[in-house]
Amino acid sequence: MGKSGRGKTTLIDIIGGFYDNFDGEFLIDSIPIKNILSWRKKIGYLSQSFFILDDSIKNNIILNNNFDEYKLNRIIDICNLKSLIKSREKGVDDFIGERGSLLSGGERQRIGLARALYNDPEILILDEPTSSLDDDTAESFINSILQLGNKITIVMVTHNRSFSNKFDKIIEL
């Protein structure tokens, strides 16, 4: 947490291995992150603005990864997307419009979360995932994430202090 311009996004970009132009080292188990070849594969990342393809719900979740029906259904459950899919004429194969124009903001965020979780990351990084959501939708979204329990490490940047009691550790920058 912290005010704008304090380096929250830069910090999570370093943790995610997306930014390596900084002084010092970032170590995981005493190993510099840039020496861990598989590090990025362990990361699921949801930024505050992400691209939605003019394609199906399924293709927006799996992107170019191998399709696994069991995995997709599990992620749909975790991200509370069942009602959206049931409401669509072609279900998971229904198109959602350019930039997700046929979805609500909360549905777009849940698609983004499903995409971030599809490859079973060990670490989920969320950069202001609720910034465009109303309070009730944001609360529901955070509760979906918390259902992951201790199966995954969650690193989230937020300005919303009402979520601070839901996480184990809070770092204020």
Side-chain angles (χ1 to χ4, degrees):
M1 297 181 106
K3 295 180 182 176
S4 297
R6 297 289 172 108
K8 298 178 301 296
T9 297
T10 301
L11 179 60
I12 62 171
D13 285 349
I14 290 169
I15 292 169
F18 306 118
Y19 181 74
D20 61 5
N21 186 19
F22 59 92
D23 292 332
E25 289 184 301
F26 186 76
L27 307 173
I28 303 292
D29 295 330
S30 302
I31 302 170
I33 193 172
K34 50 187 133 185
N35 294 346
I36 303 174
L37 298 176
S38 63
W39 182 250
R40 282 195 184 159
K41 291 180 181 178
K42 298 176 188 241
I43 305 289
Y45 184 81
L46 176 59
S47 64
Q48 37 186 318
S49 60
F50 59 94
F51 191 74
I52 297 276
L53 305 170
D54 185 13
D55 205 333
S56 67
I57 294 169
K58 176 175 79 177
N59 288 340
N60 268 283
I61 294 171
I62 68 170
L63 288 179
N64 291 325
N65 296 296
N66 292 327
F67 174 62
D68 179 323
E69 188 170 0
Y70 171 78
K71 185 188 290 189
L72 180 64
N73 288 328
R74 185 174 56 85
I75 296 299
I76 286 168
D77 283 342
I78 290 169
C79 297
N80 292 324
L81 286 167
K82 272 188 173 180
S83 62
L84 167 67
I85 290 165
K86 284 182 180 179
S87 73
R88 308 300 293 214
E89 184 178 328
K90 295 179 182 176
V92 75
D93 294 312
D94 210 14
F95 276 62
I96 55 178
E98 187 175 339
R99 296 186 186 136
S101 60
L102 302 175
L103 302 174
S104 71
E107 291 166 340
R108 279 192 297 275
Q109 287 299 96
R110 289 181 188 284
I111 297 273
L113 178 61
R115 180 186 295 170
L117 293 172
Y118 187 75
N119 287 319
D120 298 316
E122 293 177 31
I123 300 167
L124 178 63
I125 297 176
L126 306 166
D127 188 5
E128 289 288 349
T130 61
S131 62
S132 63
L133 304 177
D134 63 76
D135 290 343
D136 290 340
T137 304
E139 180 80 20
S140 174
F141 183 81
I142 293 299
N143 288 336
S144 294
I145 293 165
L146 294 175
Q147 286 179 20
L148 298 170
N150 59 4
K151 298 173 190 163
I152 189 169
T153 298
I154 301 168
V155 178
M156 184 171 90
V157 169
T158 185
H159 289 101
N160 192 335
R161 291 190 178 281
S162 68
F163 300 138
S164 62
N165 65 339
K166 295 182 180 279
F167 293 93
D168 296 332
K169 296 192 186 285
I170 308 296
I171 300 170
E172 188 153 354
L173 301 179

PDB file of all heavy atoms in Angstrom, residues 104-134:
ATOM      1  N   SER A 104     -19.110  -6.794 -18.024  1.00  0.00           N
ATOM      2  CA  SER A 104     -19.010  -5.742 -17.014  1.00  0.00           C
ATOM      3  C   SER A 104     -17.555  -5.625 -16.569  1.00  0.00           C
ATOM      4  O   SER A 104     -16.731  -6.501 -16.866  1.00  0.00           O
ATOM      5  CB  SER A 104     -19.896  -6.086 -15.806  1.00  0.00           C
ATOM      6  OG  SER A 104     -19.322  -7.174 -15.086  1.00  0.00           O
ATOM      7  N   GLY A 105     -17.226  -4.591 -15.827  1.00  0.00           N
ATOM      8  CA  GLY A 105     -15.863  -4.435 -15.306  1.00  0.00           C
ATOM      9  C   GLY A 105     -15.452  -5.601 -14.422  1.00  0.00           C
ATOM     10  O   GLY A 105     -14.330  -6.099 -14.507  1.00  0.00           O
ATOM     11  N   GLY A 106     -16.352  -6.062 -13.587  1.00  0.00           N
ATOM     12  CA  GLY A 106     -16.055  -7.190 -12.703  1.00  0.00           C
ATOM     13  C   GLY A 106     -15.827  -8.478 -13.476  1.00  0.00           C
ATOM     14  O   GLY A 106     -14.955  -9.274 -13.136  1.00  0.00           O
ATOM     15  N   GLU A 107     -16.609  -8.685 -14.543  1.00  0.00           N
ATOM     16  CA  GLU A 107     -16.427  -9.881 -15.367  1.00  0.00           C
ATOM     17  C   GLU A 107     -15.082  -9.838 -16.089  1.00  0.00           C
ATOM     18  O   GLU A 107     -14.389 -10.859 -16.167  1.00  0.00           O
ATOM     19  CB  GLU A 107     -17.571 -10.006 -16.376  1.00  0.00           C
ATOM     20  CG  GLU A 107     -18.901 -10.341 -15.712  1.00  0.00           C
ATOM     21  CD  GLU A 107     -20.101 -10.146 -16.613  1.00  0.00           C
ATOM     22  OE1 GLU A 107     -20.004  -9.412 -17.619  1.00  0.00           O
ATOM     23  OE2 GLU A 107     -21.159 -10.729 -16.302  1.00  0.00           O
ATOM     24  N   ARG A 108     -14.697  -8.660 -16.574  1.00  0.00           N
ATOM     25  CA  ARG A 108     -13.384  -8.521 -17.229  1.00  0.00           C
ATOM     26  C   ARG A 108     -12.271  -8.850 -16.237  1.00  0.00           C
ATOM     27  O   ARG A 108     -11.318  -9.557 -16.577  1.00  0.00           O
ATOM     28  CB  ARG A 108     -13.194  -7.115 -17.792  1.00  0.00           C
ATOM     29  CG  ARG A 108     -13.868  -6.905 -19.125  1.00  0.00           C
ATOM     30  CD  ARG A 108     -13.439  -5.616 -19.799  1.00  0.00           C
ATOM     31  NE  ARG A 108     -13.797  -4.431 -19.063  1.00  0.00           N
ATOM     32  CZ  ARG A 108     -14.965  -3.813 -19.127  1.00  0.00           C
ATOM     33  NH1 ARG A 108     -15.915  -4.270 -19.921  1.00  0.00           N
ATOM     34  NH2 ARG A 108     -15.205  -2.742 -18.414  1.00  0.00           N
ATOM     35  N   GLN A 109     -12.377  -8.340 -15.013  1.00  0.00           N
ATOM     36  CA  GLN A 109     -11.349  -8.607 -14.007  1.00  0.00           C
ATOM     37  C   GLN A 109     -11.274 -10.097 -13.680  1.00  0.00           C
ATOM     38  O   GLN A 109     -10.197 -10.644 -13.499  1.00  0.00           O
ATOM     39  CB  GLN A 109     -11.607  -7.813 -12.730  1.00  0.00           C
ATOM     40  CG  GLN A 109     -11.316  -6.331 -12.839  1.00  0.00           C
ATOM     41  CD  GLN A 109      -9.868  -6.055 -13.162  1.00  0.00           C
ATOM     42  OE1 GLN A 109      -9.504  -5.869 -14.307  1.00  0.00           O
ATOM     43  NE2 GLN A 109      -9.029  -6.019 -12.165  1.00  0.00           N
ATOM     44  N   ARG A 110     -12.410 -10.761 -13.608  1.00  0.00           N
ATOM     45  CA  ARG A 110     -12.425 -12.205 -13.323  1.00  0.00           C
ATOM     46  C   ARG A 110     -11.794 -12.996 -14.475  1.00  0.00           C
ATOM     47  O   ARG A 110     -11.113 -13.991 -14.232  1.00  0.00           O
ATOM     48  CB  ARG A 110     -13.841 -12.677 -13.042  1.00  0.00           C
ATOM     49  CG  ARG A 110     -14.353 -12.175 -11.710  1.00  0.00           C
ATOM     50  CD  ARG A 110     -15.756 -12.682 -11.427  1.00  0.00           C
ATOM     51  NE  ARG A 110     -16.280 -12.041 -10.244  1.00  0.00           N
ATOM     52  CZ  ARG A 110     -15.927 -12.353  -9.006  1.00  0.00           C
ATOM     53  NH1 ARG A 110     -15.040 -13.281  -8.788  1.00  0.00           N
ATOM     54  NH2 ARG A 110     -16.452 -11.728  -7.984  1.00  0.00           N
ATOM     55  N   ILE A 111     -12.011 -12.551 -15.705  1.00  0.00           N
ATOM     56  CA  ILE A 111     -11.350 -13.186 -16.860  1.00  0.00           C
ATOM     57  C   ILE A 111      -9.838 -12.993 -16.723  1.00  0.00           C
ATOM     58  O   ILE A 111      -9.055 -13.930 -16.937  1.00  0.00           O
ATOM     59  CB  ILE A 111     -11.850 -12.588 -18.190  1.00  0.00           C
ATOM     60  CG1 ILE A 111     -13.330 -12.846 -18.380  1.00  0.00           C
ATOM     61  CG2 ILE A 111     -10.989 -13.072 -19.365  1.00  0.00           C
ATOM     62  CD1 ILE A 111     -13.720 -14.131 -19.025  1.00  0.00           C
ATOM     63  N   GLY A 112      -9.409 -11.790 -16.350  1.00  0.00           N
ATOM     64  CA  GLY A 112      -7.979 -11.525 -16.156  1.00  0.00           C
ATOM     65  C   GLY A 112      -7.392 -12.378 -15.054  1.00  0.00           C
ATOM     66  O   GLY A 112      -6.283 -12.902 -15.179  1.00  0.00           O
ATOM     67  N   LEU A 113      -8.129 -12.536 -13.967  1.00  0.00           N
ATOM     68  CA  LEU A 113      -7.672 -13.385 -12.868  1.00  0.00           C
ATOM     69  C   LEU A 113      -7.567 -14.836 -13.334  1.00  0.00           C
ATOM     70  O   LEU A 113      -6.584 -15.519 -13.049  1.00  0.00           O
ATOM     71  CB  LEU A 113      -8.618 -13.279 -11.670  1.00  0.00           C
ATOM     72  CG  LEU A 113      -8.286 -14.154 -10.469  1.00  0.00           C
ATOM     73  CD1 LEU A 113      -6.920 -13.799  -9.886  1.00  0.00           C
ATOM     74  CD2 LEU A 113      -9.381 -14.034  -9.398  1.00  0.00           C
ATOM     75  N   ALA A 114      -8.569 -15.301 -14.069  1.00  0.00           N
ATOM     76  CA  ALA A 114      -8.539 -16.673 -14.584  1.00  0.00           C
ATOM     77  C   ALA A 114      -7.318 -16.874 -15.479  1.00  0.00           C
ATOM     78  O   ALA A 114      -6.642 -17.903 -15.397  1.00  0.00           O
ATOM     79  CB  ALA A 114      -9.829 -16.972 -15.351  1.00  0.00           C
ATOM     80  N   ARG A 115      -7.022 -15.896 -16.304  1.00  0.00           N
ATOM     81  CA  ARG A 115      -5.838 -15.981 -17.169  1.00  0.00           C
ATOM     82  C   ARG A 115      -4.563 -16.072 -16.333  1.00  0.00           C
ATOM     83  O   ARG A 115      -3.676 -16.863 -16.627  1.00  0.00           O
ATOM     84  CB  ARG A 115      -5.787 -14.747 -18.070  1.00  0.00           C
ATOM     85  CG  ARG A 115      -4.601 -14.720 -19.005  1.00  0.00           C
ATOM     86  CD  ARG A 115      -4.516 -13.417 -19.753  1.00  0.00           C
ATOM     87  NE  ARG A 115      -5.646 -13.237 -20.643  1.00  0.00           N
ATOM     88  CZ  ARG A 115      -5.903 -12.092 -21.272  1.00  0.00           C
ATOM     89  NH1 ARG A 115      -5.122 -11.047 -21.100  1.00  0.00           N
ATOM     90  NH2 ARG A 115      -6.940 -11.985 -22.080  1.00  0.00           N
ATOM     91  N   ALA A 116      -4.489 -15.255 -15.288  1.00  0.00           N
ATOM     92  CA  ALA A 116      -3.292 -15.249 -14.428  1.00  0.00           C
ATOM     93  C   ALA A 116      -3.128 -16.573 -13.683  1.00  0.00           C
ATOM     94  O   ALA A 116      -2.010 -16.977 -13.373  1.00  0.00           O
ATOM     95  CB  ALA A 116      -3.365 -14.090 -13.436  1.00  0.00           C
ATOM     96  N   LEU A 117      -4.227 -17.244 -13.400  1.00  0.00           N
ATOM     97  CA  LEU A 117      -4.185 -18.499 -12.642  1.00  0.00           C
ATOM     98  C   LEU A 117      -4.104 -19.753 -13.511  1.00  0.00           C
ATOM     99  O   LEU A 117      -3.810 -20.831 -12.996  1.00  0.00           O
ATOM    100  CB  LEU A 117      -5.425 -18.605 -11.745  1.00  0.00           C
ATOM    101  CG  LEU A 117      -5.516 -17.604 -10.604  1.00  0.00           C
ATOM    102  CD1 LEU A 117      -6.873 -17.705  -9.931  1.00  0.00           C
ATOM    103  CD2 LEU A 117      -4.393 -17.824  -9.613  1.00  0.00           C
ATOM    104  N   TYR A 118      -4.343 -19.628 -14.803  1.00  0.00           N
ATOM    105  CA  TYR A 118      -4.480 -20.802 -15.662  1.00  0.00           C
ATOM    106  C   TYR A 118      -3.261 -21.720 -15.636  1.00  0.00           C
ATOM    107  O   TYR A 118      -3.406 -22.937 -15.691  1.00  0.00           O
ATOM    108  CB  TYR A 118      -4.807 -20.389 -17.099  1.00  0.00           C
ATOM    109  CG  TYR A 118      -5.117 -21.570 -17.978  1.00  0.00           C
ATOM    110  CD1 TYR A 118      -6.341 -22.230 -17.881  1.00  0.00           C
ATOM    111  CD2 TYR A 118      -4.183 -22.065 -18.879  1.00  0.00           C
ATOM    112  CE1 TYR A 118      -6.628 -23.340 -18.655  1.00  0.00           C
ATOM    113  CE2 TYR A 118      -4.471 -23.179 -19.668  1.00  0.00           C
ATOM    114  CZ  TYR A 118      -5.691 -23.809 -19.555  1.00  0.00           C
ATOM    115  OH  TYR A 118      -5.961 -24.912 -20.315  1.00  0.00           O
ATOM    116  N   ASN A 119      -2.083 -21.184 -15.556  1.00  0.00           N
ATOM    117  CA  ASN A 119      -0.877 -22.023 -15.574  1.00  0.00           C
ATOM    118  C   ASN A 119      -0.382 -22.402 -14.181  1.00  0.00           C
ATOM    119  O   ASN A 119       0.796 -22.707 -14.004  1.00  0.00           O
ATOM    120  CB  ASN A 119       0.228 -21.351 -16.388  1.00  0.00           C
ATOM    121  CG  ASN A 119      -0.077 -21.421 -17.863  1.00  0.00           C
ATOM    122  OD1 ASN A 119      -0.537 -22.433 -18.370  1.00  0.00           O
ATOM    123  ND2 ASN A 119       0.150 -20.320 -18.559  1.00  0.00           N
ATOM    124  N   ASP A 120      -1.270 -22.375 -13.196  1.00  0.00           N
ATOM    125  CA  ASP A 120      -0.962 -22.798 -11.827  1.00  0.00           C
ATOM    126  C   ASP A 120       0.285 -22.120 -11.262  1.00  0.00           C
ATOM    127  O   ASP A 120       1.246 -22.786 -10.865  1.00  0.00           O
ATOM    128  CB  ASP A 120      -0.792 -24.323 -11.760  1.00  0.00           C
ATOM    129  CG  ASP A 120      -2.055 -25.055 -12.147  1.00  0.00           C
ATOM    130  OD1 ASP A 120      -3.129 -24.639 -11.680  1.00  0.00           O
ATOM    131  OD2 ASP A 120      -1.968 -26.034 -12.907  1.00  0.00           O
ATOM    132  N   PRO A 121       0.283 -20.796 -11.187  1.00  0.00           N
ATOM    133  CA  PRO A 121       1.467 -20.104 -10.664  1.00  0.00           C
ATOM    134  C   PRO A 121       1.639 -20.348  -9.163  1.00  0.00           C
ATOM    135  O   PRO A 121       0.675 -20.657  -8.458  1.00  0.00           O
ATOM    136  CB  PRO A 121       1.163 -18.638 -10.933  1.00  0.00           C
ATOM    137  CG  PRO A 121      -0.332 -18.559 -10.864  1.00  0.00           C
ATOM    138  CD  PRO A 121      -0.802 -19.862 -11.461  1.00  0.00           C
ATOM    139  N   GLU A 122       2.855 -20.205  -8.707  1.00  0.00           N
ATOM    140  CA  GLU A 122       3.131 -20.291  -7.274  1.00  0.00           C
ATOM    141  C   GLU A 122       2.926 -18.928  -6.622  1.00  0.00           C
ATOM    142  O   GLU A 122       2.658 -18.843  -5.431  1.00  0.00           O
ATOM    143  CB  GLU A 122       4.571 -20.754  -7.050  1.00  0.00           C
ATOM    144  CG  GLU A 122       4.811 -22.174  -7.488  1.00  0.00           C
ATOM    145  CD  GLU A 122       6.269 -22.594  -7.327  1.00  0.00           C
ATOM    146  OE1 GLU A 122       6.944 -22.086  -6.407  1.00  0.00           O
ATOM    147  OE2 GLU A 122       6.717 -23.425  -8.123  1.00  0.00           O
ATOM    148  N   ILE A 123       3.076 -17.875  -7.416  1.00  0.00           N
ATOM    149  CA  ILE A 123       2.946 -16.505  -6.928  1.00  0.00           C
ATOM    150  C   ILE A 123       1.975 -15.766  -7.831  1.00  0.00           C
ATOM    151  O   ILE A 123       2.117 -15.786  -9.059  1.00  0.00           O
ATOM    152  CB  ILE A 123       4.308 -15.786  -6.920  1.00  0.00           C
ATOM    153  CG1 ILE A 123       5.284 -16.542  -6.018  1.00  0.00           C
ATOM    154  CG2 ILE A 123       4.173 -14.337  -6.485  1.00  0.00           C
ATOM    155  CD1 ILE A 123       6.716 -16.109  -6.174  1.00  0.00           C
ATOM    156  N   LEU A 124       0.985 -15.124  -7.241  1.00  0.00           N
ATOM    157  CA  LEU A 124       0.023 -14.317  -7.981  1.00  0.00           C
ATOM    158  C   LEU A 124       0.289 -12.856  -7.650  1.00  0.00           C
ATOM    159  O   LEU A 124       0.231 -12.460  -6.487  1.00  0.00           O
ATOM    160  CB  LEU A 124      -1.409 -14.706  -7.594  1.00  0.00           C
ATOM    161  CG  LEU A 124      -2.526 -13.907  -8.247  1.00  0.00           C
ATOM    162  CD1 LEU A 124      -2.526 -14.100  -9.763  1.00  0.00           C
ATOM    163  CD2 LEU A 124      -3.872 -14.319  -7.653  1.00  0.00           C
ATOM    164  N   ILE A 125       0.611 -12.067  -8.673  1.00  0.00           N
ATOM    165  CA  ILE A 125       0.880 -10.645  -8.490  1.00  0.00           C
ATOM    166  C   ILE A 125      -0.290  -9.864  -9.069  1.00  0.00           C
ATOM    167  O   ILE A 125      -0.654 -10.039 -10.234  1.00  0.00           O
ATOM    168  CB  ILE A 125       2.201 -10.234  -9.178  1.00  0.00           C
ATOM    169  CG1 ILE A 125       3.370 -10.977  -8.529  1.00  0.00           C
ATOM    170  CG2 ILE A 125       2.394  -8.728  -9.107  1.00  0.00           C
ATOM    171  CD1 ILE A 125       4.709 -10.711  -9.186  1.00  0.00           C
ATOM    172  N   LEU A 126      -0.866  -9.002  -8.244  1.00  0.00           N
ATOM    173  CA  LEU A 126      -2.031  -8.208  -8.627  1.00  0.00           C
ATOM    174  C   LEU A 126      -1.707  -6.730  -8.444  1.00  0.00           C
ATOM    175  O   LEU A 126      -1.383  -6.298  -7.343  1.00  0.00           O
ATOM    176  CB  LEU A 126      -3.228  -8.579  -7.750  1.00  0.00           C
ATOM    177  CG  LEU A 126      -3.587 -10.062  -7.703  1.00  0.00           C
ATOM    178  CD1 LEU A 126      -4.542 -10.347  -6.564  1.00  0.00           C
ATOM    179  CD2 LEU A 126      -4.176 -10.503  -9.019  1.00  0.00           C
ATOM    180  N   ASP A 127      -1.795  -5.973  -9.513  1.00  0.00           N
ATOM    181  CA  ASP A 127      -1.520  -4.537  -9.451  1.00  0.00           C
ATOM    182  C   ASP A 127      -2.836  -3.773  -9.556  1.00  0.00           C
ATOM    183  O   ASP A 127      -3.408  -3.654 -10.636  1.00  0.00           O
ATOM    184  CB  ASP A 127      -0.570  -4.129 -10.583  1.00  0.00           C
ATOM    185  CG  ASP A 127      -0.097  -2.690 -10.456  1.00  0.00           C
ATOM    186  OD1 ASP A 127      -0.423  -2.026  -9.449  1.00  0.00           O
ATOM    187  OD2 ASP A 127       0.608  -2.236 -11.370  1.00  0.00           O
ATOM    188  N   GLU A 128      -3.324  -3.305  -8.426  1.00  0.00           N
ATOM    189  CA  GLU A 128      -4.583  -2.553  -8.350  1.00  0.00           C
ATOM    190  C   GLU A 128      -5.726  -3.273  -9.070  1.00  0.00           C
ATOM    191  O   GLU A 128      -6.393  -2.686  -9.919  1.00  0.00           O
ATOM    192  CB  GLU A 128      -4.392  -1.150  -8.943  1.00  0.00           C
ATOM    193  CG  GLU A 128      -3.554  -0.217  -8.128  1.00  0.00           C
ATOM    194  CD  GLU A 128      -4.260   0.267  -6.870  1.00  0.00           C
ATOM    195  OE1 GLU A 128      -5.481   0.067  -6.697  1.00  0.00           O
ATOM    196  OE2 GLU A 128      -3.572   0.864  -6.031  1.00  0.00           O
ATOM    197  N   PRO A 129      -5.986  -4.523  -8.745  1.00  0.00           N
ATOM    198  CA  PRO A 129      -6.985  -5.287  -9.499  1.00  0.00           C
ATOM    199  C   PRO A 129      -8.420  -4.818  -9.289  1.00  0.00           C
ATOM    200  O   PRO A 129      -9.297  -5.188 -10.065  1.00  0.00           O
ATOM    201  CB  PRO A 129      -6.803  -6.711  -8.976  1.00  0.00           C
ATOM    202  CG  PRO A 129      -6.336  -6.517  -7.574  1.00  0.00           C
ATOM    203  CD  PRO A 129      -5.442  -5.304  -7.637  1.00  0.00           C
ATOM    204  N   THR A 130      -8.667  -4.022  -8.261  1.00  0.00           N
ATOM    205  CA  THR A 130     -10.042  -3.597  -7.981  1.00  0.00           C
ATOM    206  C   THR A 130     -10.257  -2.107  -8.246  1.00  0.00           C
ATOM    207  O   THR A 130     -11.308  -1.578  -7.908  1.00  0.00           O
ATOM    208  CB  THR A 130     -10.400  -3.906  -6.516  1.00  0.00           C
ATOM    209  OG1 THR A 130      -9.519  -3.179  -5.660  1.00  0.00           O
ATOM    210  CG2 THR A 130     -10.301  -5.388  -6.222  1.00  0.00           C
ATOM    211  N   SER A 131      -9.284  -1.451  -8.860  1.00  0.00           N
ATOM    212  CA  SER A 131      -9.361   0.006  -9.021  1.00  0.00           C
ATOM    213  C   SER A 131     -10.563   0.466  -9.840  1.00  0.00           C
ATOM    214  O   SER A 131     -11.078   1.561  -9.618  1.00  0.00           O
ATOM    215  CB  SER A 131      -8.074   0.554  -9.633  1.00  0.00           C
ATOM    216  OG  SER A 131      -7.875   0.016 -10.919  1.00  0.00           O
ATOM    217  N   SER A 132     -11.039  -0.359 -10.768  1.00  0.00           N
ATOM    218  CA  SER A 132     -12.170   0.053 -11.610  1.00  0.00           C
ATOM    219  C   SER A 132     -13.484  -0.598 -11.195  1.00  0.00           C
ATOM    220  O   SER A 132     -14.460  -0.548 -11.936  1.00  0.00           O
ATOM    221  CB  SER A 132     -11.863  -0.272 -13.078  1.00  0.00           C
ATOM    222  OG  SER A 132     -11.711  -1.662 -13.238  1.00  0.00           O
ATOM    223  N   LEU A 133     -13.510  -1.196 -10.009  1.00  0.00           N
ATOM    224  CA  LEU A 133     -14.695  -1.914  -9.560  1.00  0.00           C
ATOM    225  C   LEU A 133     -15.412  -1.172  -8.443  1.00  0.00           C
ATOM    226  O   LEU A 133     -14.780  -0.503  -7.627  1.00  0.00           O
ATOM    227  CB  LEU A 133     -14.303  -3.309  -9.061  1.00  0.00           C
ATOM    228  CG  LEU A 133     -13.531  -4.201 -10.036  1.00  0.00           C
ATOM    229  CD1 LEU A 133     -13.166  -5.516  -9.360  1.00  0.00           C
ATOM    230  CD2 LEU A 133     -14.329  -4.445 -11.298  1.00  0.00           C
ATOM    231  N   ASP A 134     -16.735  -1.341  -8.376  1.00  0.00           N
ATOM    232  CA  ASP A 134     -17.480  -0.784  -7.250  1.00  0.00           C
ATOM    233  C   ASP A 134     -17.149  -1.604  -6.006  1.00  0.00           C
ATOM    234  O   ASP A 134     -16.550  -2.684  -6.092  1.00  0.00           O
ATOM    235  CB  ASP A 134     -18.991  -0.795  -7.542  1.00  0.00           C
ATOM    236  CG  ASP A 134     -19.540  -2.202  -7.718  1.00  0.00           C
ATOM    237  OD1 ASP A 134     -19.713  -2.902  -6.693  1.00  0.00           O
ATOM    238  OD2 ASP A 134     -19.775  -2.609  -8.863  1.00  0.00           O
TER     239      ASP A 134
END
